[in-house]
Amino acid sequence: MDTILINGTVETMAGKAASAIAIKNGRIAYVGSDEEALKHKGDGTKVYDLSGRLALPGFTDTHIHTLHTGESMNRLDLRGVKSVEEIIEKGKEYVLQKDLKPGEWIVAFGFNQNIFDDAKLPSKEGLDEISTQNPIICYRICFHIAVVNSKAIEIAGISSDAKVSGGTLDLNENGELTGVLRENALELAHAAIPSMSIADAEGILASATQAMAESGITAVHSDDLSYISYEGLSEAVANAMARDELKVRIYEQCQCPSLSALEGLAALGLNSGAGSERFSAVCVKILADGSLGASTAYMLEPYSDDLSNTGIPIYEEGDLKELVKASHNAGFAVACHCIGDGALEMFLNAVEEAMCENPQPIVHRVVHCQVGNQQQYQRMASLNMAADIQPPFTATDSAIANIRLGDARTDDSYNWKSLLQHGVKLGGGSDSPVESFSPIWGIYCAVSRKNGAGGPSWLAGQCLSVYEAVSLYTVGAANIANAAYTSGTLETGKYADIVVLDTNIFQASEDGLRDAKPVMTIMGGSITYSNGDIA
């Protein structure tokens, strides 16, 4: 036996009480009592005394952007800024600190105009105050809106008469570009930004996955292919693994905006599940609409605060059906970004048609699933679909949901409890770098539905139990990835992916739950993080 954990409070998430886990060759060899576990001890076995601490299956984030998260650690961070003036001030400081060369891109992210006093978006003129020598792209917190400066417009060759399917460019009263790009219009700027190198990706994987391991994460469902090709990512992952610098399993959500992109994935011999234990394709990723904060999520009815706007559908319904059907027939589960109920309706229609024509045991998933209604949730259950939810969104979106949606639609939105009651499979993610990737924070948000400052629970009837919330990041995550035979619970034969916490969160107060911390993370039998408290 390689490793034995004893004297713990082991929550297997499979209905079995235990205090010990024995590990051999990266898999769980025994779960049960200390006495029986220690019978497996050999000369080289390492034994760790958990001193009563809680051990759980390692956490899985079911929707994250790993490369983007790592890259954002070194970008201009605008989260929490309260005005355009503060963006400009921070931008000027960034330019001085980085000593940038003319023509070098400045990438900023994280502003939220909804917390500005005037709620106005930045403009190209404002960003020009930061630099006229460097192209700048400044992303809203949701990454569905970006603002570019005049240099970026020049380098990218963006014109005021450009037409983009599934996207818009804002113009002022004189018909000139304001610098604001929405949805697919962002691609006009992206085409001019240098792509990520394999070497850069390796370094980001190392730093980002180490930080994730410190949060108790052992696996991620990651959307990265807007930065790098699948082949390039595979090479970067292999190189990071060779140096033992990849600290989580990566289930790749292969961004697939078109039939030609799907053909490219198929040419690589990919479908859902293709790959290795450490890196595999889990699904294709499609974006059907935008975000609530940007008012680009596609709605069945107009926004309550803007009756002229129903958001931006990225696809015509027929085109979405064709792409979903082709993915389904190719053996790919589809993860479709749907925040508005209009986008959700289109995706449900597409899945229903694909399933009717070619029934398969594929679990298609709705990423975010924020705005919907009970009839749509029932349809999801009948189609054996999953919802890939982000509990931290309740802490941030509660401030704007009623304004954007009105009371009636809000009551049916972010309905995690209702989804479970309807029989929809649920997985929990963060959408990092949009939100913190800490699963403990996600669990706290799912249980309390409060923001970081406390206050009353938002839509309190939708609060989950601690067990249900933990399941989002363990059992549920495995189920929606068709990986229940290898992960999600602590059972013999499954991956030895384990997190040990300093607090028994099943017995803790809400504050105790929020403040709980991992003290050890194990992935595939190897310790990926330890704070040194367990010996």
Side-chain angles (χ1 to χ4, degrees), residues 497-511:
D497 293 354
I498 304 163
V499 59
V500 182
L501 303 179
D502 65 356
T503 301
N504 187 334
I505 58 176
F506 297 104
Q507 299 176 358
S509 64
E510 278 189 1
D511 288 347

Side-chain angles (χ1 to χ4, degrees), residues 235-450:
E235 184 175 341
V237 166
N239 292 341
M241 284 175 57
R243 294 194 296 271
D244 194 28
E245 292 179 348
L246 186 73
K247 302 302 182 183
V248 303
R249 303 181 195 278
I250 296 179
Y251 298 93
E252 189 63 25
Q253 296 181 336
C254 303
Q255 200 167 114
C256 187
S258 64
L259 290 172
S260 60
L262 179 64
E263 290 167 0
L265 294 172
L268 297 174
L270 296 178
N271 55 31
S272 290
S276 67
E277 290 185 356
R278 298 285 297 278
F279 178 69
S280 61
V282 68
C283 59
V284 296
K285 169 75 182 304
I286 299 171
L287 283 87
D289 69 345
S291 76
L292 189 66
S295 297
T296 55
Y298 180 50
M299 302 294 177
L300 292 172
E301 301 292 338
Y303 281 86
S304 295
D305 60 342
D306 183 0
L307 297 180
S308 67
N309 179 32
T310 55
I312 299 177
I314 305 300
Y315 296 92
E316 296 290 337
E317 184 160 5
D319 294 334
L320 181 62
K321 283 183 176 180
E322 187 177 14
L323 183 53
V324 169
K325 189 182 302 182
S327 302
H328 176 85
N329 292 340
F332 267 116
V334 177
C336 189
H337 167 117
C338 301
I339 289 181
D341 55 2
L344 177 57
E345 188 72 14
M346 288 173 61
F347 184 47
L348 290 177
N349 292 341
V351 170
E352 194 167 53
E353 192 169 294
M355 282 288 192
C356 285
E357 292 184 12
N358 181 15
Q360 293 193 65
I362 293 177
V363 178
H364 299 298
R365 67 172 98 170
V366 179
V367 180
H368 306 311
C369 198
Q370 290 171 219
V371 184
N373 58 60
Q374 302 305 317
Q375 182 182 18
Q376 290 176 324
Y377 303 151
Q378 183 58 55
R379 287 181 68 193
M380 289 174 63
S382 67
L383 290 166
N384 192 36
M385 293 175 66
D388 194 344
I389 65 171
Q390 288 66 52
F393 285 0
T394 61
T396 51
D397 288 7
S398 57
I400 63 168
N402 284 78
I403 297 170
R404 293 280 192 273
L405 304 174
D407 292 343
R409 273 188 298 191
T410 298
D411 285 346
D412 272 346
S413 299
Y414 305 78
N415 270 212
W416 316 147
K417 192 80 168 185
S418 294
L419 285 163
L420 280 177
Q421 290 169 344
H422 282 295
V424 177
K425 299 177 178 68
L426 294 188
S430 63
D431 204 15
S432 176
V434 175
E435 299 284 353
S436 165
F437 54 70
S438 166
I440 291 295
W441 172 243
I443 291 166
Y444 169 78
C445 290
V447 171
S448 74
R449 295 181 70 100
K450 296 177 181 178

Side-chain angles (χ1 to χ4, degrees), residues 103-116:
E104 189 173 346
W105 278 82
I106 298 172
V107 179
F109 80 102
F111 79 87
N112 180 2
Q113 85 283 3
N114 292 322
I115 64 174
F116 297 176

Side-chain angles (χ1 to χ4, degrees), residues 95 104-106 122-138 146-158 177-181 189:
V95 169
E104 189 173 346
W105 278 82
I106 298 172
S123 66
K124 72 176 188 295
E125 289 81 9
L127 298 188
D128 285 345
E129 293 186 41
I130 298 172
S131 175
T132 57
Q133 300 299 309
N134 299 91
I136 301 172
I137 184 165
C138 182
V147 186
V148 292
N149 70 343
S150 297
K151 191 67 175 179
I153 291 172
E154 173 193 332
I155 290 175
I158 303 172
L177 292 166
T178 67
V180 176
L181 310 176

